[in-house]
Amino acid sequence: MEFTMGGRLEVRITPADVGKRVSVRRRPEGDGAGAEFTDTVGVLTSWNDGVVSITRKSGESVHIVESSLVAGKVVPAAPARRRGPAASFRELAAVTARAWQPVESEPLGEWRLRAAGGFTRRANSALPLGDPGLPLGEAFERVERWYEERGLPAYIQTATGAEGTQETLCAELERHGWRREVTAEVRIAALAPVGDLDADVTAVRLTREPDEAWLSRYQRFSTPGPHVLRVLGSGPAVWFATVAGGEAPAAIGRCVVDGRWAGFMAVEVAPEHRRRGLATSVMAALARRALDEGASAAWLQVEEDNEGARALYDGMGFAAHHRYHHFRPA
């Protein structure tokens, strides 16, 4: 990382650069002899009372004492992806929301309050895609009250790591006492290579609705009530994949086709049937159906600690577009 200008380190950022992507270098605590500098890249979210706050693309907030800065500059947005489909954060946020719709929703300005009886954070969180029409502190309080009225924990879903994402909103949530509980990646890829995977799809059965067998394999609920079925069945064009395996399916998956996008969710394989390529077969079968319906790009979401799924999707050509987070009041 290069900061020098004519051989000197310079701090070339000011509080006027809040909201911009920056790169800074600081002295370590204690400033011990021979200690190395620490570099941080992210969005400058505040500069108050001698403390500089930067939100990295991972969503992590870093707070730096101003006096420890030895260099800093504004840097351009992360370079555009060189493979796979081009997509803005706003486009993907809308597509992913349509693929997992709540049972109840209500606008809060340009935000959307969503509830589905507590089934998944995605369907039971506020989606802030614009101006809530209130000062942020009041908007946060309104979100808390709305979920409290429904007997649900309050969550706000945010995003970081791409142009137009919400690092500043994440910092505001933290300042108001909200904390991140879960972080996941939204990954995208070209769809055709997924459909072309070397996989046996002959045993994959595709249906428009989840049957009892499919639901028996899905691990996200204990009893499939009406709210669960409403969420699972939501989306422009929904497909469910099942691979038989005895009393319960060996593998399942879900795909939502929405224009050029095909979103993959709920890909699960029974423990006793793993390492047989069944997840790949499910993905390939769903991708081929989505290609038949006119889709050309793929997306999915994977939690950061799911190393097995991350490795699988790496091999299929999926790469991270941005990260999303669920914040909850402390």
Side-chain angles (χ1 to χ4, degrees):
M1 188 177 298
E2 181 57 56
F3 286 99
T4 58
M5 177 178 286
R8 293 181 298 111
L9 292 172
E10 291 188 344
V11 177
R12 289 182 273 134
I13 57 174
T14 72
D17 294 313
V18 168
K20 298 179 181 178
R21 189 168 180 263
V22 300
S23 177
V24 302
R25 177 169 289 175
R26 69 182 187 274
R27 291 187 299 273
E29 293 184 11
D31 199 14
E36 296 183 354
F37 292 124
T38 300
D39 296 325
T40 304
V41 178
V43 174
L44 179 63
T45 49
S46 69
W47 191 325
N48 297 313
D49 301 323
V51 176
V52 176
S53 297
I54 295 173
T55 300
R56 291 174 166 154
K57 67 179 182 179
S58 65
E60 176 192 5
S61 293
V62 179
H63 306 289
I64 302 169
V65 177
E66 178 181 346
S67 60
S68 71
L69 290 176
V70 296
K73 62 183 178 181
V74 175
V75 295
R81 290 171 44 81
R82 300 189 181 277
R83 61 188 178 96
S88 68
F89 161 66
R90 293 284 299 204
E91 178 187 5
L92 272 174
V95 168
T96 57
R98 286 195 294 268
W100 199 258
Q101 298 176 24
V103 174
E104 177 187 5
S105 68
E106 180 180 314
L108 177 63
E110 295 178 299
W111 292 17
R112 176 64 57 175
L113 307 177
R114 307 175 295 180
F119 173 57
T120 71
R121 291 180 182 85
R122 277 184 286 162
N124 293 271
S125 57
L127 184 63
L129 295 179
D131 185 351
L134 297 169
L136 281 179
E138 294 180 26
F140 298 158
E141 292 174 0
R142 173 64 183 128
V143 170
E144 288 193 69
R145 289 197 304 272
W146 195 84
Y147 286 99
E148 183 179 4
E149 291 166 0
R150 288 152 180 80
L152 296 170
Y155 287 104
I156 295 178
Q157 180 179 315
T158 65
T160 60
E163 186 174 356
T165 47
Q166 300 160 318
E167 285 81 358
T168 301
L169 177 59
C170 292
E172 285 296 324
L173 282 162
E174 290 187 348
R175 278 194 283 272
H176 283 80
W178 293 60
R179 295 292 179 265
R180 281 189 300 148
E181 281 199 352
V182 175
T183 292
E185 287 181 342
V186 176
R187 293 188 166 205
I188 61 176
L191 182 60
V194 182
D196 289 340
L197 290 168
D198 183 12
D200 180 7
V201 300
T202 58
V204 182
R205 179 172 60 91
L206 300 182
T207 59
R208 282 294 194 181
E209 296 180 354
D211 57 17
E212 290 186 6
W214 194 99
L215 293 168
S216 71
R217 173 55 55 204
Y218 189 49
Q219 301 297 308
R220 296 298 296 272
F221 59 85
S222 56
T223 303
H227 59 294
V228 173
L229 298 177
R230 282 272 300 276
V231 175
L232 288 173
S234 64
V238 188
W239 288 98
F240 296 88
T242 305
V243 178
E247 292 185 4
I252 60 170
R254 177 179 182 264
C255 179
V256 177
V257 182
D258 183 354
R260 72 179 180 123
W261 290 101
F264 296 86
M265 290 143 277
V267 177
E268 297 185 8
V269 179
E272 65 271 22
H273 291 286
R274 289 175 183 165
R275 301 188 181 278
R276 292 173 46 196
L278 294 183
T280 301
S281 295
V282 165
M283 292 283 291
L286 289 169
R288 293 174 193 181
R289 182 56 56 91
L291 287 164
D292 290 342
E293 295 195 352
S296 59
W299 67 268
L300 52 79
Q301 297 166 326
V302 58
E303 292 188 3
E304 284 192 328
D305 59 356
N306 192 340
E307 294 296 334
R310 289 161 63 88
L312 174 69
Y313 299 139
D314 283 344
M316 294 181 181
F318 283 90
H321 182 276
H322 65 271
R323 291 172 173 82
Y324 77 87
H325 320 276
H326 283 107
F327 279 80
R328 183 176 178 179

